[in-house]
Amino acid sequence: MSSDAVIIGKNIIEILTTGMYHNPLVIFREYVQNSVDAINEAISREILKDISEGDIQIVIDKKERRISFEDNGIGIPKENAWQILTSIAASDKDRTKNLGFRGIGRLAGLAYCNELIIETSFKGEATKTVLQWDGQKLKEIIGDKKDRRLASEVIEAITTINEELMEQEGDHYFKVTL
């Protein structure tokens, strides 16, 4: 086995966004699948009593040209948010039990927006974690044939993460806004 590092170029991000998701309607499937999985996980951890407590909201704001998907599922703990939300194809989901399991669905919206915002809170934490993906900057980097950055370097360049101390400790949710 070679000691050389494996190189994964920036084009993999294009393949997993615009290359895979030709029809914008797939974003609904991808984000709803992830919401269902998060609600099922909240039920299995007894955060929700049963499926009747699960809630998925989709808001389409034509005036602001914004779509959001929000669920009251498990959420993501703040200490794991960066690793989980910026990883690609590294899902812990069980493909025999979950609807989404490849770890790429959250990237679907990047093909259709200038900014992808993910907000999440985990039960017992009084914080909201906000991860922003700059879709416009991603398109510029991918379009620049002289830019030879690795996929990991592109992700670092187009994402920011912040925590806000404003949530109730009982809140648990995941929200994607395009």
Side-chain angles (χ1 to χ4, degrees):
M1 193 150 51
S2 173
S3 62
D4 294 331
V6 174
I7 297 172
I8 300 175
K10 69 178 183 178
N11 293 331
I12 193 70
I13 300 171
E14 181 180 29
I15 291 166
L16 295 174
T17 57
T18 57
M20 273 189 70
Y21 300 109
H22 298 290
N23 183 338
L25 295 177
V26 299
I27 64 173
F28 289 89
R29 181 194 68 213
E30 294 297 334
Y31 295 129
V32 169
Q33 279 182 171
N34 285 344
S35 290
V36 170
D37 288 342
I39 288 168
N40 286 336
E41 182 67 19
I43 293 166
S44 73
R45 293 189 188 196
E46 299 180 350
I47 293 170
L48 297 175
K49 290 178 186 166
D50 57 43
I51 196 69
S52 68
E53 289 188 347
D55 185 46
I56 301 171
Q57 306 232 345
I58 301 171
V59 176
I60 301 172
D61 185 336
K62 291 180 188 177
K63 185 177 179 182
E64 295 294 322
R65 298 178 47 100
R66 191 173 296 147
I67 301 174
S68 65
F69 302 82
E70 184 172 1
D71 66 64
N72 67 338
I74 191 78
I76 297 175
K78 64 182 178 181
E79 68 270 3
N80 300 339
W82 175 262
Q83 180 182 356
I84 291 171
L85 295 174
T86 61
S87 68
I88 296 176
S91 176
D92 291 348
K93 290 183 181 180
D94 182 339
R95 67 178 51 225
T96 64
K97 296 178 184 173
N98 298 110
L99 298 174
F101 55 83
R102 290 192 173 95
I104 58 174
R106 71 186 163 286
L107 301 175
L110 277 173
Y112 300 101
C113 67
N114 290 330
E115 182 178 48
L116 180 74
I117 302 167
I118 299 173
E119 300 170 79
T120 187
S121 186
F122 190 74
K123 185 173 180 141
E125 295 180 347
T127 58
K128 168 172 68 172
T129 303
V130 181
L131 185 86
Q132 293 177 278
W133 293 76
D134 187 333
Q136 190 63 37
K137 190 171 184 179
L138 173 62
K139 290 172 184 104
E140 290 169 12
I141 292 170
I142 288 173
D144 182 353
K145 300 304 176 198
K146 293 180 184 177
D147 189 324
R148 307 290 294 165
R149 284 186 252 191
L150 301 177
S152 58
E153 294 169 324
V154 172
I155 291 170
E156 294 248 350
I158 67 166
T159 56
T160 58
I161 191 165
N162 295 298
E163 291 178 15
E164 298 176 14
L165 296 171
M166 59 186 287
E167 301 298 313
Q168 300 289 329
E169 283 195 30
D171 286 351
H172 48 93
Y173 64 87
F174 191 88
K175 181 177 181 180
V176 177
T177 303
L178 306 120

